[in-house]
Amino acid sequence: FTSSSHQPTFDEMTIVAKKKKTNSNGHHSLPVVLPPELGMAGSIVFFVALFSLANPDQDGYEQFRKCHGNCVNGLLHFIGMPLAVSGVFLIVRAVSDSPVFTRFLQTCVTTAYLYLYLQYESNPWSPWMFYLLYMSIFDGILYRRLYQKKTKNSATATRLQFALLGIALIVVNVGALEVIGHGLFEHHHSYVEEFFNSVFHTPLYGVNTVWGLFSPRPDHVCW
């Protein structure tokens, strides 16, 4: 008498193990590389460090403006910075593996920016223009169209795809701002030690540059 039960071979066990590394949508969730919980915690730590190490007041803005004074560079920052920040949140989407968490975090961060800008910005409309612009991109485009984007072979894009897109947006836009905006028009690159201060004040700088085209102000002379 012989048993009809089938004993799995080594190859079959390997295939099963590989399938367990994919989530229910059929794409790699990369749990071994970075658990989503750790990605969420790291994202929160980054933005806490941003607000802690920046100088979010008028003195910090004036320090930032020492290497951000040209009108053309300001317009380039107005265009490029929302794309670069979108790259940051795409990385958050990748490491957290959660569109809901990413939406919550980007809303909290943008609202915190708005509150702090309102504390020192002389033009009361600039912070609100910043808020409407960035939230329309973050919520209207990133969350509703990209964070749950469907691909040909899976229900949603993979974490790796979100990470690569985010990195590309950061590298291309920040690189262009440094090479073109600072290299050609400022003749002075951003201070490395002022990284967090620049990340905080750059969105307002871009918005104020656009306002300055229509309503000149002494601290934002165009040419």
Side-chain angles (χ1 to χ4, degrees):
F1 178 77
T2 60
S3 173
S4 60
S5 61
H6 174 68
Q7 297 296 323
T9 65
F10 176 78
D11 289 340
E12 290 173 334
M13 293 173 66
T14 301
I15 292 173
V16 171
K18 288 182 177 179
K19 287 182 178 180
K20 289 182 178 180
K21 292 182 180 180
T22 61
N23 62 21
S24 60
N25 289 327
H27 68 269
H28 288 278
S29 59
L30 305 180
V32 177
V33 177
L34 184 67
E37 295 78 10
L38 184 59
M40 294 178 186
S43 301
I44 294 173
V45 169
F46 171 79
F47 285 106
V48 170
L50 167 62
F51 288 110
S52 301
L53 298 176
N55 191 3
D57 53 26
Q58 187 62 41
D59 291 339
Y61 190 62
E62 291 175 359
Q63 174 66 27
F64 164 81
R65 289 297 310 284
K66 289 181 178 180
C67 55
H68 296 83
N70 183 273
C71 182
V72 176
N73 190 32
L75 292 175
L76 292 175
H77 277 67
F78 178 77
I79 298 170
M81 198 59 186
L83 298 174
V85 179
S86 295
V88 173
F89 283 118
L90 281 168
I91 293 176
V92 172
R93 169 64 179 88
V95 299
S96 69
D97 199 23
S98 171
V100 175
F101 170 81
T102 309
R103 185 190 197 189
F104 173 77
L105 184 62
Q106 67 192 20
T107 301
C108 291
V109 169
T110 309
T111 303
Y113 266 60
L114 171 66
Y115 172 78
L116 292 170
Y117 285 162
L118 287 170
Q119 304 309 303
Y120 70 87
E121 171 54 36
S122 60
N123 182 352
W125 296 106
S126 290
W128 288 105
M129 181 178 176
F130 147 79
Y131 189 77
L132 293 175
L133 171 64
Y134 278 69
M135 283 305 298
S136 64
I137 294 173
F138 296 158
D139 202 66
I141 298 176
L142 295 185
Y143 175 73
R144 299 184 186 281
R145 296 185 179 274
L146 280 182
Y147 291 165
Q148 303 177 73
K149 182 177 177 60
K150 297 182 183 300
T151 62
K152 182 177 180 181
N153 298 320
S154 64
T156 58
T158 66
R159 296 173 68 186
L160 180 60
Q161 287 173 321
F162 285 123
L164 291 177
L165 178 58
I167 293 171
L169 283 173
I170 294 172
V171 171
V172 170
N173 285 280
V174 173
L177 291 175
E178 286 296 324
V179 173
I180 301 174
H182 285 275
L184 296 181
F185 295 100
E186 294 281 0
H187 304 294
H188 191 302
H189 291 283
S190 300
Y191 298 118
V192 175
E193 64 271 19
E194 289 282 317
F195 170 76
F196 287 104
N197 206 44
S198 295
V199 172
F200 179 79
H201 292 290
T202 295
L204 184 64
Y205 164 61
V207 170
N208 278 338
T209 301
V210 173
W211 274 114
L213 296 176
F214 303 98
S215 179
R217 45 189 288 180
D219 60 334
H220 275 268
V221 178
C222 233
W223 308 107

